[in-house]
Amino acid sequence: MSILVVGSVAFDTIETPHGKRERCQGGAATHFAIAASFFTDVRVIGVVGDDFGPKQEEAFKKRNIDISGIEHIPGEKCFHWAGSYEGALNEAKTLQTDLNVFADFSPKVPSNYQDSDFLFLANIDPVLQKRVMDAMPDVKMVAGDTMNYWIADHRDNLLKMLAGLDTLIINDGEARMLSGEHNLVKAAKKVIEMGPKSLVIKHGEYGATAFFCERSFPGTKNTTVPFRAPALPLEEVVDPTGAGDSFAGGFYGYLAAQKEITPRAFRTALFYGGVMGSFAVEKFGIERLRDATREEIEERFRLFREISHLDLDAE
Ligand code: AMP
């Protein structure tokens, strides 16, 4: 089944302990779409400028991603984000944000995208997220992301968007900020009361936890217990940019490819999210994710099963 994603299509200038790269192809919708494309059909809504050329298009085309919904604004430049990471590489420090074409972004759903089955609202203004959500009332599932800026300064708009979500996918700092609770279980309960039927909290290099409620899987018993999936212990993390969006792409892409969204499928999807996140961080920008293969993905999934299998007698 097809996924429609709306979000940033950008250039990123990134500094990590492994070096600096100017203007790598990036953006939340880019990372998400590439990760999800290994599982299902993906369509993108975004906006770009003249600096988005054949080379950038190629990264999408290679993965069969439909970019007919990406609007080109002549004479303008793409959204540009500059950030740096230090130490544990868990949190990006934003050095610069050039909105460029993003400043007046008003997403439109083209007619050839209307039959999309799943919707992912990547991190953009919650007013725009809500607008796209309202334009797609018949989708099977809506998932979304947000960030500290919207939580801090656009709370009312964010709450309106959250009320319509099936699943919210955010990191632990964002969950704490949104709920005002430090303890993540308490935070999750509060966030779920805001509307989402389920919540996935990402813990960077430590994996992700899914929280459920009675509304998550109607008619299914015993699904309110949280579920934790680890992250793969990696020897070298080169660039964490886009790991969260790649996680979301793997998670949602796997779900969208299933016949039914069961608790089992949801839990399995968390592992595929972790697999795609692990590729994203191994090289700068989209370099590694773009070149992953389905075989490599399954190989890492097997590794995930191995490290999470509770066999206390294993040698
Ligand atoms: P993450 O998965 O959280 O590391 O997301 C990284 C991506 O988010 C980068 O490729 C950036 O281009 C993009 N990004 C950073 N700031 C914003 C913003 N304010 N709005 C939309 N996208 C952003």
Side-chain angles (χ1 to χ4, degrees), residues 59-74:
F60 290 99
K61 286 197 180 139
K62 193 181 155 218
R63 298 287 332 136
N64 277 323
I65 298 166
D66 188 340
I67 54 168
S68 57
I70 295 187
E71 201 181 339
H72 286 246
I73 311 283

Side-chain angles (χ1 to χ4, degrees), residues 49 162 187 199 201:
L162 291 181
L199 169 68
I201 299 186

Side-chain angles (χ1 to χ4, degrees), residues 242-265:
D245 301 309
S246 304
F247 172 94
F251 167 81
Y252 210 45
Y254 175 81
L255 266 192
Q258 306 312 301
K259 277 204 194 85
E260 223 188 319
I261 298 171
T262 59
R264 187 180 198 280

Side-chain angles (χ1 to χ4, degrees), residues 71-272:
E71 201 181 339
H72 286 246
I73 311 283
E76 301 267 352
K77 279 180 143 183
C78 286
F79 175 71
H80 170 247
W81 174 81
S84 71
Y85 301 82
E86 283 161 16
L89 298 180
N90 259 349
E91 207 167 329
K93 189 168 140 203
T94 295
L95 303 175
Q96 197 176 324
T97 303
D98 303 310
L99 290 176
N100 301 327
V101 288
F102 226 46
D104 299 311
F105 181 38
S106 173
K108 292 163 207 77
V109 182
S111 55
N112 57 322
Y113 282 11
Q114 288 288 346
D115 62 350
S116 304
D117 303 290
F118 286 68
L119 176 61
F120 186 75
L121 307 165
N123 163 40
I124 50 169
D125 186 336
V127 171
L128 303 183
Q129 291 179 314
K130 176 88 170 46
R131 200 180 298 162
V132 177
M133 189 195 280
D134 290 344
M136 299 292 293
D138 298 327
V139 288
K140 292 189 175 60
M141 186 170 172
V142 189
D145 183 14
T146 191
M147 71 183 288
N148 50 10
Y149 173 72
W150 308 113
I151 298 171
D153 298 333
H154 296 254
R155 197 177 175 86
D156 288 350
N157 291 337
L158 182 62
L159 289 176
K160 283 183 201 149
M161 189 281 286
L162 291 181
L165 276 191
D166 290 299
T167 303
L168 176 67
I169 307 173
I170 51 179
N171 65 35
D172 27 29
E174 290 156 354
R176 290 190 169 108
M177 194 175 171
L178 181 58
S179 62
E181 293 283 352
H182 187 78
N183 177 284
L184 279 184
V185 180
K186 287 185 180 154
K189 277 191 180 157
K190 280 201 172 174
V191 172
I192 282 183
E193 279 166 15
M194 294 173 194
K197 297 188 182 82
S198 54
L199 169 68
V200 175
I201 299 186
K202 297 170 286 180
H203 314 293
E205 64 181 311
Y206 303 112
T209 312
F211 293 88
F212 307 105
C213 69
E214 315 70 49
R215 293 177 292 125
S216 308
F217 304 100
T220 313
K221 285 184 188 160
N222 298 327
T223 52
T224 51
V225 183
F227 183 80
R228 160 83 48 97
L232 274 185
L234 295 173
E235 197 169 330
E236 201 154 71
V237 175
V238 171
D239 170 23
T241 311
D245 301 309
S246 304
F247 172 94
F251 167 81
Y252 210 45
Y254 175 81
L255 266 192
Q258 306 312 301
K259 277 204 194 85
E260 223 188 319
I261 298 171
T262 59
R264 187 180 198 280
F266 203 100
R267 293 184 197 116
T268 311
L270 286 181
F271 284 89
Y272 278 104

